[in-house]
Amino acid sequence: MLVKKMIMFLVLLFILTGCVNGDRYTFSGSSENWDVFYVVDVSDGTNQVEDGIVTYTGEDDPPETIEYKLEANLGTSEGTGITIKDGTGSIANGACRGCAVIQEDEEIKVEITWNGQTENLIVTTDK
């Protein structure tokens, strides 16, 4: 399972490598049933591209879909009906120009809801 998580994380990093022209912040965190990896590329201090991956680590079969909420200092990103395939799903994908951007030292709150269960975790950068 750890190998699968690392492969997904590396794939995410390779995908975003071509987009970097500034700072890259890699956030990660775990809860009882989930691992979250979240990458933010910031350029010019006012532009960002973000992409996240959730991986189910629980003992039961992974859910087919989840809901998530990601809360940073500058706002919230939410999604419903996020498809989980082979235990992994994509969250918080987006970009903005001329916006307030996530900072490297932020602690980002993540809430994942599935099959009537909810877990909360914090993702941070490895400094």
Side-chain angles (χ1 to χ4, degrees), residues 41-103:
D41 290 313
V42 176
S43 61
D44 299 327
T46 62
N47 303 317
Q48 80 178 20
V49 176
E50 56 187 320
D51 195 14
I53 292 178
V54 295
T55 302
Y56 183 72
T57 60
E59 294 181 13
D60 297 328
D61 290 335
E64 292 181 13
T65 61
I66 64 165
E67 297 178 13
Y68 78 90
K69 182 187 290 186
L70 188 142
E71 293 182 39
N73 289 338
L74 301 172
T76 301
S77 172
E78 298 181 64
T80 60
I82 305 303
T83 302
I84 302 299
K85 183 173 175 139
D86 297 326
T88 302
S90 182
I91 65 168
N93 302 316
C96 66
R97 293 183 140 327
C99 58
V101 297
I102 290 178
Q103 302 299 309

Side-chain angles (χ1 to χ4, degrees), residues 9-27 38-43 47-51 102-105 125-126:
F9 181 65
L10 291 174
V11 167
L12 174 66
L13 287 177
F14 286 128
I15 289 170
L16 293 176
T17 298
C19 304
V20 177
N21 224 1
D23 295 318
R24 168 171 283 160
Y25 307 136
T26 303
F27 296 83
Y38 179 63
V39 177
V40 180
D41 290 313
V42 176
S43 61
N47 303 317
Q48 80 178 20
V49 176
E50 56 187 320
D51 195 14
I102 290 178
Q103 302 299 309
E104 179 180 22
D105 60 351
T125 57
D126 293 328

